[in-house]
Amino acid sequence: MKVFLLLMLMLIISTIEVSDQTNEVALLPFQTDASWYSESAPVVINNNELLVFYTTGYKEQYGYYSQGLNDTIYVIRSTDGGITWQPPVFFKNISLNFANYDKPYYLTALKHSSGRILVCWADAEIGRILLFYSDDNGLTWSDTTFIEGGGDPLPFRKRSIFYITMSELNDGRIMLSSTFFSTLNMVYYRVSTDAGESWSDEAVTFFDGDALVRDVNFIQSNDNRLTAYFYYKDYFTQGIFKQVTTDGGATWSEMMPVIESTAILSRPRVVKLSDNQLWLIYQSEDTLDYRDNQNDIYYIKSDNGGSAWSEPVRFTRYVGKDKFVNITNLNGKPFITFTTTRFGSKEKIAIANLTSTEEKYLPPYIYNIKTIVDSSAKKTWTIQCKIIDDKEVISANVTDDKGNTFTLYDDGNHNDGEAGDYVYGTTYSIKDYDPVPADVMDVNNIELPLNNHGSLASVRQVTYQEKMEIHTVDSDNFSNAYNDILTFSYSPFAVYDDIIFLFSSGFLLSGYDNQNLWGNGVAVSTLIDDYVPGKVGSDRWDPKNKIYIVNKSDPSFGDTWQQWKDAVALGAEFYDGDGDGIYNPVDKNWNGSWDPNEDMPMILGDRTMWTVYNDGLPHSQRRFNEVDPLGIEIKQTLFATSLDELQDVIFIKYSITNTGMVSDVLDSVIFGFWQDPDIGTYDNDLTGSDTLLNSAFTYSDTTEEIYGINPPSFFITLLQGPVVTTNNPVDTAFIMNGEQFGMSEISGSKNMNISSFVAFTDPMHEDINALNELRNYMLGKDRVGDVRDPCTYYGGEVLGGVDCNEVNPLFSFSGDPVAEFGWINTYPKDTRSMLNVGPFRLEKGKPQEIIAAYVIGRGTDYLNSITVTRENVMRAIQEYKSNFASMTYTAPPPTNPVSNYVLYQNYPKPFNPTTTIR
């Protein structure tokens, strides 16, 4: 008897220790800053043993967006009621493909009364629910069970199954509910009567209507009534509601409110702790002016089986994010898991017991991190972030990976917005940075990012990345830290007046190798990206395969001039002042400035950017995987000036060489300037071609949402076409390199003008999906090879009395929208287009040099912008014809001018082993 009483006393003490152990919101152990965490699902095996399943992965940066990679589910086990935890164990891969790092999978789990543990989630890649079960407390698991959620046939249901919940009823049945979003919001459930071994053939419709219904939880009472608790929202009300059925779901009562709120509620979860006691937990998102939004966890409880509920209790008051809450019954008490940013600003999984936990740790919340780099000098960084707290923030700073610490301010004087607006910022200088394969041309009104393998705009490489920590402390001495690799980058898109005008651009090529059609290029919106950095046969990852940049303002013979040696080794041009054929930038007369008898890089205008790339991407990784690398090498040069007359122009030169890796001659080659413009918003653009100006242009349809009443127009203009032989002595082709670098004249030849223009505006001109389609488009035809009829072509109209039968069908929309004359594009949309020139030959070792201009203009309205841009195009053409005379480099004044020459006696003696001459 004494032994029995002693055992009972030990059990009572043990139970008290377990029930009271979670006296503060605690962090689930073994989580790292390198991974992201989102959902969790707790399962109690017995009084003291429980499992927590959770989703995790790691985040990888792609310039302007992040992706979660290797998304997986892990499971972590405790055998003492959550006091200590064993190391987590890998459970399942969620998806083989990349997924957005904050995408929910609606992870749910339960332990069935039979002892079986069931875990399931939604797989967006296949549009189904995945379920696994274990009959040995999670040691081994079944094969995958695929469950259809309900709704449209499977091909139309992909990525459309949401808000999965799993509930066990008193009689052992399992209800698995899911929401399907289509034209209407529909909720379905399936039933299993054998602990998840099999499921009902048909999905039962629970809700089908205009309102939003989700997160349906089923609870069965002792009298077998079935109650569904769920979130509901329509035009008039929102909150958590319930419906009751007494006939197994054949009919349901009217909806009855449990909680009505103006705040956004989500993720209601109901747990039964005893026959009559229910706990309902949910999230509430409050939108506040300066806090963006705050997610808190609330709960209500019922002691009479759900007939009446308590007033809501706010469980968390932390100013950041507490979300993805889930609940289970641990020893008759509500045990919850949720993600929170209170342990370092990155979301991590926390645990708590609602009856014994007190929220004590309320640190500041750091979010909305922004980084800015000064592109003109690349020596200045700005960091901004928002820091909010329920108390006063008394300090904030940022520390880089070199140990330098800088104070963050909210005083309105440190690039931090307005004083007291909770935006903290600082700007500081850096001495060193590692060059990366992307940069931006921004010396005038246009900002055009580019990378080192042919893409202009939509550049996913970043300018610089730095491991940094943002640290803040409040008046309660609670601190928080944000540790991450911060990305200092430009806008990935081309902008004008700080607004996007070009989403992406590049080039496409096609031709024949003997009788074999080939095609390649760089058009990332079309998923064509066939070129890799460097010369043919080089290591694409060699750090020398970068963008080489020289500014007019750079010191003569300084770092950028010396780095140009590597560019020259890769094929870049240079001014050979001493005529020895070797690039060696040396200040020969020590005057601190360049003289015509000294070497210098190619400098045109205020900035010159040079790189080289080749078509070396393996065929298996290409959009057109039937095309192998051909050994095409392209040297690309961008140059621009801040001169008033050329403020809206960027010049680009492509020097295209067939290295002969496959064939000595690539014949019937066509080069296309491919573009995906977005003048402000993406879906209201019109396009056209101007054959007199060798141009393609894009403009907005009347007033633009972002630019306003006068959106700009964007032209791509061919200035120097490929050289073709005519054998006519009257013809002369020109190769312009700049006044200091010379001009070539080739008799009996000519530079080609544009040969076609095609806009992807209708079903016969959709995106490029096949190699033969690419060739047809480059010939100015539709995707199946038919010539368009301007009289009937979709998306356009021939105006001004012009005979539509006389319009050249190879140049889409070649009329003048300003004068409303000719073939005009009349259907605004998200357009892509391609301006083509060819055919020409690529002979081994003989480069073809093509020069174009990207030109912008902004007038008083959308049509006047076309007129203004045409004037800017004429200026660009004149600059080209002058061999870029106004962009000729002029040396700065000497810093150490030589006024006299004196040869002093050598020292100390003429015949010493060493001597000094001054």
Side-chain angles (χ1 to χ4, degrees):
M1 186 65 178
K2 291 181 180 180
V3 174
F4 174 79
L5 291 175
L6 181 59
L7 290 173
M8 288 298 295
L9 180 59
M10 292 175 62
L11 179 60
I12 292 171
I13 294 173
S14 175
T15 303
I16 292 173
E17 289 177 349
V18 169
S19 64
D20 289 340
Q21 60 86 19
T22 312
N23 55 16
E24 186 174 353
V25 173
L27 180 67
L28 195 68
F30 303 107
Q31 299 179 80
T32 68
D33 287 337
S35 297
W36 57 265
Y37 302 85
S38 57
E39 297 176 85
S40 58
V43 173
V44 174
I45 296 176
N46 54 46
N47 287 341
N48 291 320
E49 187 171 6
L50 71 154
L51 306 175
V52 175
F53 299 86
Y54 61 86
T55 59
T56 185
Y58 66 93
K59 189 170 69 173
E60 184 163 305
Q61 198 77 20
Y62 288 88
Y64 57 91
Y65 67 94
S66 301
Q67 281 188 329
L69 307 180
N70 193 30
D71 297 341
T72 52
I73 298 178
Y74 278 79
V75 58
I76 188 169
R77 186 184 300 263
S78 173
T79 58
D80 54 11
I83 299 174
T84 60
W85 296 85
Q86 300 172 8
V89 176
F90 169 79
F91 178 58
K92 297 291 179 183
N93 276 320
I94 295 176
S95 173
L96 296 178
N97 297 325
F98 289 175
N100 193 301
Y101 74 95
D102 60 357
K103 176 195 174 300
Y105 295 97
Y106 309 103
L107 181 68
T108 183
L110 62 79
K111 183 182 179 183
H112 190 258
S113 54
S114 66
R116 172 171 290 178
I117 300 173
L118 299 94
V119 181
C120 65
W121 65 90
D123 192 311
E125 297 298 322
I126 62 175
R128 294 176 177 174
I129 300 170
L130 275 63
L131 182 142
F132 299 86
Y133 60 81
S134 171
D135 291 321
D136 55 8
N137 291 335
L139 298 178
T140 61
W141 293 89
S142 68
D143 293 332
T144 309
T145 298
F146 296 101
I147 306 171
E148 306 294 342
D152 291 339
L154 182 59
F156 304 100
R157 196 186 310 141
K158 290 187 72 174
R159 306 180 186 272
S160 297
I161 295 179
F162 306 93
Y163 303 106
I164 298 169
T165 59
M166 194 163 39
S167 311
E168 183 185 0
L169 307 184
N170 294 348
D171 55 14
R173 286 180 296 160
I174 300 176
M175 309 280 281
L176 178 61
S177 72
S178 61
T179 298
F180 171 67
F181 286 135
S182 182
T183 55
L184 295 175
N185 175 61
M186 293 169 281
V187 179
Y188 299 88
Y189 65 84
R190 291 182 185 267
V191 180
S192 174
T193 59
D194 52 11
E197 195 78 31
S198 62
W199 296 84
S200 54
D201 293 334
E202 296 296 327
V204 180
T205 302
F206 176 77
F207 177 84
D208 185 350
D210 291 327
L212 175 64
V213 172
R214 63 193 187 198
D215 290 302
V216 181
N217 298 254
F218 295 98
I219 294 291
Q220 190 175 27
S221 60
N222 291 337
D223 57 5
N224 289 326
R225 284 184 308 161
L226 189 60
T227 304
Y229 295 91
F230 50 87
Y231 173 74
Y232 175 88
K233 180 182 180 182
D234 61 19
Y235 291 108
F236 307 103
T237 186
Q238 69 170 341
I240 298 173
F241 286 72
K242 69 178 181 179
Q243 285 181 271
V244 179
T245 180
T246 58
D247 54 14
T251 61
W252 290 86
S253 68
E254 294 293 324
M255 286 192 304
M256 296 171 280
V258 178
I259 304 169
E260 290 186 274
S261 174
T262 58
I264 300 173
L265 308 183
S266 60
R267 287 186 71 93
R269 295 291 187 269
V270 183
V271 66
K272 181 189 290 189
L273 300 186
S274 65
D275 288 341
N276 288 314
Q277 190 178 63
L278 303 179
W279 285 65
L280 189 154
I281 195 164
Y282 60 94
Q283 298 163 199
S284 176
E285 180 177 307
D286 296 314
T287 302
L288 303 174
D289 290 340
Y290 68 89
R291 291 183 176 178
D292 185 24
N293 54 58
Q294 175 178 339
N295 295 85
D296 287 311
I297 297 173
Y298 286 73
Y299 67 83
I300 57 175
K301 59 182 178 178
S302 172
D303 292 324
N304 55 13
S307 298
W309 291 86
S310 67
E311 289 296 316
V313 177
R314 183 178 177 181
F315 177 67
T316 62
R317 298 178 180 274
Y318 166 59
V319 295
K321 308 287 187 181
D322 292 327
K323 58 183 185 178
F324 287 128
V325 66
N326 234 320
I327 190 168
T328 190
N329 178 356
L330 176 61
N331 295 322
K333 296 184 182 296
F335 179 87
I336 65 170
T337 62
F338 59 97
T339 59
T340 182
T341 54
R342 72 185 69 210
F343 299 109
S345 292
K346 290 185 178 180
E347 293 182 357
K348 294 183 179 179
I349 297 170
I351 58 175
N353 192 316
L354 294 183
T355 61
S356 60
T357 296
E358 179 183 354
E359 185 187 34
K360 299 178 181 178
Y361 184 59
L362 298 170
Y365 175 42
I366 307 169
Y367 70 106
N368 200 22
I369 315 296
K370 292 183 179 180
T371 55
I372 305 166
V373 62
D374 178 1
S375 57
S376 62
K378 279 210 197 151
K379 297 292 183 180
T380 304
W381 292 357
T382 294
I383 294 181
Q384 288 181 352
C385 65
K386 280 193 174 182
I387 303 177
I388 57 175
D389 197 8
D390 59 335
K391 302 291 184 179
E392 179 186 1
V393 174
I394 60 174
S395 71
N397 55 62
V398 58
T399 303
D400 64 20
D401 62 356
K402 300 177 181 65
N404 303 310
T405 299
F406 305 89
T407 301
L408 292 166
Y409 300 89
D410 184 19
D411 58 6
N413 298 318
H414 294 81
N415 287 326
D416 58 297
E418 300 294 329
D421 63 355
Y422 305 94
V423 176
Y424 288 73
T426 191
T427 299
Y428 59 95
S429 299
I430 56 172
K431 295 181 179 179
D432 301 303
Y433 70 94
D434 297 327
V436 296
D439 218 291
V440 65
M441 175 65 81
D442 65 343
V443 297
N444 53 33
N445 293 334
I446 304 173
E447 294 186 13
L448 178 65
L450 62 149
N451 63 21
N452 64 342
H453 53 95
S455 184
L456 304 174
S458 201
V459 173
R460 296 184 178 181
Q461 281 98 347
V462 300
T463 300
Y464 193 77
Q465 289 187 322
E466 179 90 5
K467 181 72 182 294
M468 309 196 90
E469 177 181 286
I470 299 173
H471 186 266
T472 183
V473 180
D474 67 12
S475 57
D476 281 340
N477 205 31
F478 291 145
S479 63
N480 209 342
Y482 185 100
N483 292 281
D484 204 355
I485 296 176
L486 298 185
T487 300
F488 293 80
S489 64
Y490 313 103
S491 165
F493 314 117
V495 299
Y496 182 80
D497 288 342
D498 296 322
I499 304 173
I500 182 175
F501 74 88
L502 178 65
F503 180 83
S504 181
S505 67
F507 65 89
L508 292 168
L509 282 162
S510 74
Y512 287 90
D513 170 23
N514 295 318
Q515 301 300 315
N516 299 316
L517 176 65
W518 57 267
N520 60 41
V522 178
V524 296
S525 298
T526 307
L527 304 181
I528 299 173
D529 197 3
D530 302 326
Y531 282 70
V532 298
K535 295 172 66 67
V536 170
S538 68
D539 178 4
R540 62 183 293 187
W541 305 113
D542 188 329
K544 292 184 178 181
N545 293 332
K546 64 178 184 178
I547 298 173
Y548 291 86
I549 303 172
V550 181
N551 297 300
K552 178 181 177 180
S553 60
D554 291 342
S556 300
F557 314 106
D559 289 343
T560 59
W561 287 44
Q562 301 304 321
Q563 291 172 13
W564 198 261
K565 292 178 181 178
D566 290 334
V568 170
L570 295 172
E573 299 167 276
F574 66 96
Y575 175 83
D576 189 11
D578 55 12
D580 65 355
I582 301 172
Y583 175 65
N584 186 27
V586 175
D587 188 2
K588 294 185 176 182
N589 60 5
W590 304 287
N591 68 350
S593 183
W594 174 79
D595 293 290
N597 67 331
E598 297 166 336
D599 294 353
M600 76 168 185
M602 169 174 269
I603 303 177
L604 288 171
D606 287 272
R607 178 174 298 170
T608 304
M609 308 176 74
W610 184 92
T611 192
V612 60
Y613 44 84
N614 70 91
D615 71 330
L617 192 74
H619 70 86
S620 60
Q621 300 177 31
R622 297 186 179 208
R623 178 77 182 271
F624 311 132
N625 54 26
E626 66 268 39
V627 178
D628 286 309
L630 296 170
I632 297 175
E633 190 172 280
I634 298 179
K635 301 178 182 70
Q636 173 189 289
T637 309
L638 266 70
F639 49 101
T641 178
S642 60
L643 293 172
D644 289 343
E645 62 271 21
L646 296 171
Q647 278 276 348
D648 299 318
V649 180
I650 292 177
F651 297 95
I652 180 169
K653 180 170 79 169
Y654 296 99
S655 180
I656 309 169
T657 302
N658 170 22
T659 63
M661 185 181 78
V662 172
S663 179
D664 286 349
V665 177
L666 300 175
D667 206 0
S668 301
V669 178
I670 300 176
F671 181 93
F673 296 95
W674 176 90
Q675 57 174 320
D676 181 2
D678 290 332
I679 309 294
T681 51
Y682 68 91
D683 57 353
N684 60 349
D685 292 338
L686 296 166
T687 190
S689 57
D690 189 326
T691 55
L692 297 178
L693 292 178
N694 266 336
S695 298
F697 60 95
T698 305
Y699 59 105
S700 285
D701 176 35
T702 66
T703 298
E704 208 283 319
E705 181 178 342
I706 303 177
Y707 276 106
I709 63 172
N710 61 335
S713 175
F714 167 53
F715 276 57
I716 294 181
T717 300
L718 176 66
L719 300 173
Q720 177 178 291
V723 175
V724 292
T725 301
T726 64
N727 295 318
N728 185 341
V730 177
D731 292 331
T732 302
F734 297 90
I735 306 295
M736 303 293 190
N737 296 305
E739 275 199 338
Q740 288 165 325
F741 302 91
M743 175 185 70
S744 300
E745 299 183 16
I746 306 171
S747 300
S749 301
K750 68 177 181 179
N751 297 103
M752 299 189 75
N753 291 322
I754 58 173
S755 55
S756 67
F757 171 73
V758 61
F760 306 111
T761 57
D762 73 305
M764 292 306 293
H765 285 82
E766 294 176 331
D767 214 351
I768 304 167
N769 296 308
L771 179 59
N772 65 312
E773 291 182 11
L774 170 61
R775 185 64 179 182
N776 288 332
Y777 288 145
M778 303 198 89
L779 293 170
K781 302 177 181 180
D782 67 18
R783 63 184 179 88
V784 297
D786 295 333
V787 176
R788 294 153 297 165
D789 184 355
C791 298
T792 60
Y793 181 58
Y794 176 84
E797 186 177 355
V798 179
L799 304 175
V802 176
D803 184 354
C804 60
N805 295 296
E806 298 297 322
V807 175
N808 188 341
L810 299 183
F811 294 92
S812 295
F813 311 129
S814 55
D816 183 354
V818 179
E820 295 187 337
F821 184 85
W823 190 10
I824 309 298
N825 185 193
T826 56
Y827 180 53
K829 62 170 295 186
D830 180 14
T831 186
R832 299 173 186 173
S833 59
M834 186 163 54
L835 181 69
N836 303 305
V837 56
F840 56 91
R841 288 162 61 91
L842 281 176
E843 300 179 21
K844 179 180 178 180
K846 296 181 178 180
Q848 287 279 12
E849 297 194 349
I850 297 172
I851 299 178
Y854 280 26
V855 187
I856 297 286
R858 191 173 187 184
T860 56
D861 58 41
Y862 76 106
L863 290 177
N864 182 247
S865 291
I866 297 175
T867 301
V868 171
T869 312
R870 284 175 176 157
E871 295 170 355
N872 291 336
V873 168
M874 292 300 297
R875 295 187 183 98
I877 293 173
Q878 183 59 41
E879 183 67 21
Y880 165 77
K881 288 183 176 180
S882 74
N883 198 13
F884 306 105
S886 68
M887 302 176 73
T888 301
Y889 177 73
T890 56
T895 58
N896 184 29
V898 177
S899 59
N900 192 21
Y901 292 91
V902 176
L903 179 62
Y904 292 91
Q905 176 64 46
N906 60 330
Y907 175 83
K909 291 181 181 180
F911 304 106
N912 278 4
T914 61
T915 188
T916 300
I917 297 177
R918 184 167 64 90

